[in-house]
């Protein structure tokens, strides 16, 4: 591969469609043993930095295909983002991974030294690293924990503090999945979140606890908030953000949706409309999620086809992977179980008879019993007289303690200590009938409260059991009310926070959609990039294994390149030359150059791929990916449910009650 500065195609022609329609695969760099999730050029365009599921960072010369440096990083999960620090002679690298750890790697230092330079501040996945133009000391990161963090290597090169909040710049309170810095005005920071919003902040108004000026509110410094109207009531994740070269426009790609262009200076967006009646119904009754096994890429790549098309052509199961068949079977079982549960919703459900001996109940019961000094009464250790406990304890003191109305709960076989107790029934002998007790609450001279029970020894066990059962029922009721109150308080605070955020952001700019780019499919991965190429083109990877290129100003499809056997995730144009690097699920990096002698674009094939992508995008909107262990457990559980249902049907047919 030769440097294309001397290519016969002049650089000024990169703004013409003939340029992208002459692109051809020139080189393949086989430098990883896993999916390549991040690629970036150095400032001079001589090297490519890549990170992979194999947890290696590799610096490659794409012109001679030689590896300059292969670094075993300290990451224990898939590397999702890696960047050269500016003005460090390509010797300093920042990277992040699925375990949330950030590593600061110096290519000339020992592995032992580099492993110590880690930041464990994020919890959950760290999605992206962003360096600041011309700044060799600071960088930003974002992650699933909803925080955007700002680190200064002059103050520290590692941080392993538990639950560290020192470097939080913005707390978005929802997953922050992508960030981008304006190339010309680097204090403007765009943040893409899982709530369909792109927020742009002025970093001059922000700070961290480490710098002593942290504001702690997600609205401080916000000057722009962009949401496509139809996504305003949906949670649609942003998978990539990209500023144009002049910083005048921002390109944002959404998971399970399309790519949008907006102007941050625009403030002409119409009022965000509420969901339609159909959408409200959808929100009230969410669809049953289809399940897909992790590692099943059968619906990706150039040869993938929609289910409707396969059914139309009569394709049978041999053309579908084993994982997909398992997923379909599990989905059907889940739907059957849901339907069966719904149909039995009006039938009475039998409660397990051992309920009072459950772990929750056991934890709620009194800890010990003992005889008083006079020997004429017994004491039951109870919780300290605080809040509702004192009210519930003292209230019965002036009234007799009657039997529980729940005869089933009252007829337990054992107490928490395992001592057998008589069963209280209407035909019990007088000596075993439930007595009337007088409760006296006292805390004089003791560290714990006591309840004195005056009764004869003959009824002691039964009475103790009734008191314990009463106390357990009260405790469970109190816990239930307390939990409900906490949930209500949580929702109240969230509502107040949302209302406050809305009121505080009334004056920020709300740009409208300037252009929409469709045809690709972005639903399988969370790191799918879209980007500008020069002034006239927009590009994106796709689940169909193709690279899509559009006219930036008209959204017309200009080129389609088959680039991966499954998914294209990353696209990075060369900083100067007409060269494009791509990567994805395949274990390699591909280099594209305008080497075809004449321009060509198979529009018929492109239309076919676009139609399939649109159909498959709809098919996968309600599909979630789960690990194999989850599938195995679910299969076992559903099999158990089916067995119990069959056993119950047989029991009902024979006049017996199914206790389970």
């Amino acid at each position: 591969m030769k440097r294309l500065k001397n290519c016969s195609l002049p650089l000024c022609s990169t703004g013409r469609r003939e340029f992208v329609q002459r692109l051809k695969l020139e080189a393949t760099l086989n430098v990883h043993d896993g999916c390549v999730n991040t690629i970036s050029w150095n400032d001079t365009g001589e090297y490519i930095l890549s990170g992979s599921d194999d947890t290696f960072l590799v610096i490659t010369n794409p012109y001679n295909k030689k590896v300059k440096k292969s670094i075993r990083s300290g990451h224990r999960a898939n590397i999702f983002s890696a960047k050269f620090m500016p003005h460090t002679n390509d010797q300093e690298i920042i990277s992040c991974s699925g375990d949330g750890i950030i590593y600061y790697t110096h290519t000339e230092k020992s592995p032992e030294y580099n492993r110590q330079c880690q930041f464990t501040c994020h919890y959950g996945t760290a999605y992206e690293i962003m360096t600041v133009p011309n700044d060799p000391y600071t960088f930003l990161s974002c992650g699933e924990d909803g925080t955007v963090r700002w680190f200064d290597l002059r103050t520290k090169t590692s941080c392993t503090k538990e639950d560290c909040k020192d470097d939080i710049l913005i707390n978005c309170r929802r997953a922050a999945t992508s960030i981008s810095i304006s190339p010309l005005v680097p204090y403007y920071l765009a943040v893409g979140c899982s709530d369909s919003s792109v927020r742009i902040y002025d970093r001059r108004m922000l700070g961290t606890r480490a710098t002593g000026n942290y504001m702690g509110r997600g609205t401080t410094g916000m000057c722009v908030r962009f949401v496509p109207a139809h996504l305003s009531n949906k949670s649609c994740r942003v998978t990539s953000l990209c500023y144009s070269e002049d910083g005048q426009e921002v390109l944002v790609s959404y998971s399970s949706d399309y790519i949008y262009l907006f102007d941050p200076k625009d403030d002409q967006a119409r009022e965000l409309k509420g969901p339609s009646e159909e959408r409200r119904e959808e929100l009230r009754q969410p669809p049953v999620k289809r399940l897909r096994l992790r590692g099943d890429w059968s619906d990706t790549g150039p040869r993938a086809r929609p289910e409707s098309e396969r059914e139309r052509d009569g394709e049978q199961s041999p053309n579908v992977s084993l994982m997909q068949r398992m997923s379909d079977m599990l989905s059907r079982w889940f739907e059957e179980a849901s339907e069966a549960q719904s149909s039995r919703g009006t039938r009475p459900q039998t409660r397990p008879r051992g309920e009072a001996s459950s772990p929750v109940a056991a934890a709620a019961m009194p800890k010990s019993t003992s005889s008083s000094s006079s020997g004429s009464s017994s004491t039951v250790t109870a919780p300290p007289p605080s809040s509702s406990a004192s009210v519930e304890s003292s209230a019965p003191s002036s009234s007799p303690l009657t039997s529980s109305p729940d005869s089933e709960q009252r007829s337990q076989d054992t107490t928490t200590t395992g001592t057998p107790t008589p069963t209280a029934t209407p035909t019990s002998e007088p000596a075993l009938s439930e007595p009337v007790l007088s409760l006296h609450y006292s805390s004089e001279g003791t560290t714990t409260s006591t309840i004195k029970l005056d009764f004869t020894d003959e009824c002691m066990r039964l009475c103790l059991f009734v008191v314990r059962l009463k106390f357990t029922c009260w405790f469970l009721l109190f816990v239930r009310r307390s939990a409900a109150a906490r949930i209500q308080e949580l929702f109240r605070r969230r509502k107040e926070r949302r209302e406050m955020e809305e009121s505080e952001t009334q004056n920020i700019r709300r740009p409208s959609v300037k252009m929409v780019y469709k045809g690709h499919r972005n639903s399988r991965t969370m790191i799918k990039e879209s980007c500008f190429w020069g002034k006239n083109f927009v590009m994106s990877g796709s689940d169909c294994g193709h690279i899509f290129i559009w006219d930036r100003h008209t959204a017309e499809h200009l080129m389609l390149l088959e680039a991966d056997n499954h998914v294209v995730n990353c696209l990075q144009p060369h900083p100067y030359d007409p060269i494009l690097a791509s990567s994805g699920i395949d274990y390699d990096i591909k280099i594209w150059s305008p080497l075809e002698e004449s321009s060509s674009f198979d529009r018929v094939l492109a239309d076919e791929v676009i139609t399939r992508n649109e159909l498959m995008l709809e098919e996968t909107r309600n599909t979630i990916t789960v690990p194999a262990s989850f599938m195995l457990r679910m299969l076992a559980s559903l099999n158990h449910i089916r067995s119990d249902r069959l056993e119950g049907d047989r029991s009902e047919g024979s006049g017996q009650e199914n206790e389970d």
Side-chain angles (χ1 to χ4, degrees):
M1 176 178 172
K2 299 179 180 180
R3 293 295 300 269
L4 292 183
K5 286 183 178 179
N6 298 322
C7 177
S8 59
L9 186 70
L11 292 181
C12 61
S13 67
T14 57
R16 300 166 56 188
R17 67 175 59 197
E18 289 82 2
F19 160 68
V20 297
Q21 291 177 350
R22 287 179 55 187
L23 288 172
K24 180 181 179 180
L25 179 63
E26 183 178 1
T28 300
L29 310 179
N30 296 295
V31 296
H32 284 288
D33 291 322
C35 304
V36 183
N37 308 313
T38 176
I39 52 176
S40 60
W41 296 89
N42 68 341
D43 291 337
T44 63
E46 296 180 54
Y47 296 101
I48 291 178
L49 169 66
S50 57
S52 167
D53 288 1
D54 62 11
T55 70
F56 273 79
L57 295 167
V58 179
I59 303 174
T60 311
N61 183 326
Y63 305 102
N64 59 21
K65 300 184 182 180
K66 292 184 178 180
V67 173
K68 179 184 179 183
K69 199 82 173 181
S70 181
I71 304 167
R72 181 188 293 274
S73 73
H75 292 293
R76 297 183 296 273
N78 305 348
I79 298 176
F80 284 150
S81 183
K83 299 286 194 309
F84 289 112
M85 290 297 292
H87 303 298
T88 61
N89 197 26
D90 304 330
Q91 293 183 354
E92 297 177 23
I93 298 170
I94 294 293
S95 59
C96 66
S97 60
D99 57 9
I101 297 178
I102 298 170
Y103 270 93
Y104 167 51
T105 302
H106 197 293
T107 61
E108 302 302 318
K109 297 292 181 66
S110 67
E112 292 75 18
Y113 174 87
N114 286 328
R115 288 193 195 98
Q116 296 175 5
C117 299
Q118 60 174 297
F119 298 85
T120 60
C121 307
H122 282 288
Y123 54 91
T125 300
Y127 288 109
E128 191 162 11
I129 292 290
M130 187 59 58
T131 58
V132 180
N134 300 315
D135 185 346
Y137 304 111
T138 66
F139 66 93
L140 297 103
S141 65
C142 66
E144 187 69 28
D145 58 8
T147 64
V148 176
R149 298 176 186 248
W150 182 82
F151 300 92
D152 190 335
L153 297 173
R154 291 168 296 191
T155 60
K156 59 182 177 181
T157 57
S158 66
C159 180
T160 56
K161 289 166 53 175
E162 188 173 349
D163 193 25
C164 179
K165 296 181 174 62
D166 293 347
D167 303 295
I168 295 177
L169 188 71
I170 305 168
N171 189 350
C172 300
R173 295 188 174 87
R174 67 273 293 172
T177 55
S178 187
I179 52 178
S180 183
I181 290 178
S182 173
L184 297 184
V185 190
Y187 50 78
Y188 281 134
L189 170 66
V191 182
C193 297
S194 60
D195 64 347
S196 307
S197 293
V198 175
R199 299 166 173 84
I200 298 181
Y201 296 85
D202 187 337
R203 289 195 300 127
R204 295 173 298 180
M205 302 175 64
L206 303 174
T208 66
R209 287 184 173 88
T211 57
N213 56 345
Y214 176 62
M215 300 302 294
R217 293 159 64 186
T219 58
T220 302
M222 190 191 305
C223 51
V224 178
R225 183 170 182 241
F226 169 77
V227 186
H230 72 287
L231 297 180
S232 59
N233 294 285
K234 296 178 66 176
S235 293
C236 199
R237 287 188 169 224
V238 173
T239 63
S240 78
L241 279 174
C242 182
Y243 269 95
S244 59
E245 291 180 354
D246 57 9
Q248 299 299 307
E249 293 177 331
V250 176
L251 195 67
V252 51
S253 180
Y254 285 96
S255 178
S256 298
D257 205 79
Y258 307 117
I259 300 170
Y260 298 88
L261 182 71
F262 70 92
D263 179 358
K265 299 188 302 300
D266 174 40
D267 195 17
Q268 304 300 317
R270 290 183 289 273
E271 286 295 322
L272 297 180
K273 297 180 180 179
S276 62
E277 187 57 37
E278 293 79 7
R279 177 61 183 156
R280 291 193 187 96
E281 184 64 24
E282 181 182 341
L283 291 172
R284 284 193 292 267
Q285 298 179 352
V288 175
K289 295 286 187 182
R290 295 188 57 192
L291 302 178
R292 177 199 301 116
L293 269 181
R294 183 175 298 160
D296 176 12
W297 301 103
S298 60
D299 64 338
T300 65
R303 258 48 78 185
R305 301 172 66 190
E307 288 184 5
S308 57
E309 188 175 327
R310 296 200 307 266
E311 293 172 358
R312 182 198 66 196
D313 295 341
E315 292 187 6
Q316 301 299 321
S317 57
N319 292 325
V320 183
S321 69
L322 174 62
M323 288 185 177
Q324 186 63 45
R325 295 201 301 273
M326 287 181 61
S327 179
D328 291 341
M329 179 180 66
L330 184 54
S331 297
R332 288 196 301 271
W333 280 25
F334 185 79
E335 290 172 0
E336 289 175 8
S338 299
E339 291 172 0
Q341 183 65 28
S342 299
S343 64
R344 295 190 300 175
T346 57
R347 295 173 57 184
Q349 301 293 320
T350 304
R351 296 172 63 88
R353 293 186 181 275
E355 186 173 9
S357 298
S358 66
V360 175
M365 289 185 179
K367 295 182 180 179
S368 62
T369 58
S370 62
S371 299
S372 65
S373 56
S374 62
S376 60
S377 64
S378 298
T379 62
V380 181
T381 303
S386 62
S387 65
S388 302
S390 60
V391 177
E392 295 286 342
S393 299
S394 60
S397 60
S398 59
S399 61
L401 179 65
T402 59
S403 61
S404 169
D406 190 349
S407 60
E408 182 175 342
Q409 288 189 356
R410 187 159 42 86
S411 58
Q412 304 294 330
D413 296 328
T414 60
T415 65
T416 55
T417 59
T419 306
T421 58
T423 302
T425 64
T427 57
S428 299
E429 296 179 5
L432 297 179
S433 62
E434 188 172 315
V436 175
L437 303 179
S438 175
L439 299 186
H440 173 69
Y441 175 80
S442 173
S443 59
E444 297 177 0
T446 62
T447 57
T448 59
S449 308
T450 59
I451 301 178
K452 294 184 179 180
L453 309 177
D454 297 325
F455 51 86
T456 63
D457 292 339
E458 295 177 352
C459 301
M460 181 176 67
R461 292 176 182 170
L462 178 61
C463 295
L464 283 176
F465 166 73
V466 172
V467 172
R468 287 177 175 176
L469 185 59
K470 288 275 190 182
F471 184 80
T472 301
C473 293
W474 161 80
F475 185 85
L476 293 176
L477 180 62
F478 173 76
V479 169
R480 181 178 178 183
R481 289 176 177 173
S482 176
R486 287 197 298 269
I487 292 173
Q488 290 177 351
E489 178 66 14
L490 176 63
F491 276 98
R492 184 187 66 79
R493 290 181 179 178
R494 285 183 177 178
K495 182 180 179 182
E496 288 180 353
R497 188 166 61 239
R498 283 196 302 267
E499 292 175 349
M500 181 180 297
E501 182 174 315
E502 287 297 325
S503 64
E504 291 177 346
T505 58
Q506 287 298 317
N507 297 324
I508 69 169
R509 292 191 295 276
R510 296 176 182 260
S512 57
V513 173
K514 190 171 183 178
M515 192 64 64
V516 184
Y517 307 94
K518 300 181 179 181
H520 70 305
R521 179 157 51 99
N522 178 11
S523 60
R524 290 302 310 271
T525 57
M526 280 302 304
I527 51 176
K528 194 170 280 88
E529 293 178 343
S530 61
C531 62
F532 296 98
W533 198 358
K535 297 180 180 179
N536 294 327
F537 305 121
V538 164
M539 302 183 300
S540 174
S542 176
D543 292 348
C544 65
H546 289 89
I547 297 171
F548 280 75
I549 304 179
W550 296 268
D551 185 296
R552 172 178 174 177
H553 310 290
T554 66
E556 177 189 359
H557 291 99
L558 298 180
M559 193 57 181
L560 191 70
L561 298 170
E562 186 175 321
D564 197 286
N565 288 316
H566 295 291
V567 179
V568 179
N569 281 326
C570 304
L571 294 175
Q572 287 296 316
H574 190 279
Y576 310 113
D577 292 345
I579 303 173
L580 174 67
S582 70
S583 70
I585 300 302
D586 288 354
Y587 295 0
D588 56 34
I589 302 167
K590 296 180 175 69
I591 305 297
W592 306 82
S593 302
L595 299 180
E596 293 285 1
E597 293 192 8
S598 60
S599 61
S600 63
F601 174 43
D602 190 340
R603 196 169 297 276
V604 174
L605 174 62
D607 291 340
E608 183 179 323
V609 172
I610 290 168
T611 300
R612 286 178 174 173
N613 278 340
E614 192 64 36
L615 291 173
M616 297 181 75
L617 187 63
E618 282 300 319
E619 289 177 356
T620 58
R621 283 190 195 278
N622 297 312
T623 301
I624 56 176
T625 302
V626 296
S629 58
F630 173 85
M631 296 284 279
L632 294 174
R633 290 170 183 163
M634 285 296 296
L635 286 169
S637 299
L638 289 171
N639 187 49
H640 181 68
I641 291 172
R642 281 187 161 187
S643 300
D644 285 351
R645 190 192 307 167
L646 292 174
E647 182 66 28
D649 292 341
R650 286 195 292 268
S651 299
E652 289 178 0
S654 61
Q656 299 176 0
E657 183 180 9
N658 179 18
E659 294 294 336
D660 293 333

